[in-house]
Amino acid sequence: MTVGISIRINVEKIDKARLYKGAKGTYLDLTTFVDLDNKDQYDNNGFIKQSTSKEEREAGVKTEILGNVKVFSNDAKGATGNTAKVKAVIQEADLLEDDIPF
């Protein structure tokens, strides 16, 4: 199963204080929320923003939306007739957690 997602961000909105040095370069943690069943008026399925830590989320810290995401390929939907399988995989992988190592 494959889901193709196009991401467009405004790099001028990146909070550079949230960039961090790693062993192989400078990194930026991002979080995206994708609604496979609905699109906004611009044909986007969701948005992308800089990630926050668990403590920041609990304290109510919000980061600015940097851009949008658009699903352009969803072979799972074509194969199953719905997006339940894709949603289950996304939930199982915990793609909304901020401890993803990339």
Side-chain angles (χ1 to χ4, degrees):
M1 163 177 45
T2 303
V3 176
I5 298 176
S6 173
I7 299 171
R8 176 179 288 184
I9 65 169
N10 180 345
V11 297
E12 293 176 1
K13 291 185 174 184
I14 292 173
D15 178 356
K16 284 131 186 91
R18 291 185 170 274
L19 299 175
Y20 63 94
K21 290 284 187 184
K24 296 183 180 183
T26 302
Y27 294 86
L28 169 65
D29 287 336
L30 300 170
T31 299
T32 186
F33 295 90
V34 180
D35 185 339
L36 297 173
D37 296 324
N38 299 297
K39 295 184 180 207
D40 67 13
Q41 72 261 29
Y42 303 107
D43 209 29
N44 296 309
N45 296 88
F47 61 89
I48 190 162
K49 59 194 311 187
Q50 287 182 259
S51 300
T52 54
S53 68
K54 181 179 179 181
E55 295 78 18
E56 287 175 320
R57 286 190 302 276
E58 289 173 353
V61 172
K62 304 283 185 195
T63 56
E64 187 170 357
I65 293 175
L66 300 178
N68 301 296
V69 297
K70 183 180 293 191
V71 175
F72 65 85
S73 173
N74 183 355
D75 66 1
K77 185 172 183 172
T80 65
N82 64 50
T83 58
K85 187 174 180 181
V86 175
K87 288 180 181 178
V89 169
I90 290 172
Q91 274 186 325
E92 184 177 312
D94 282 335
L95 293 180
L96 299 181
E97 292 297 320
D98 61 356
D99 58 352
I100 298 174
F102 56 84

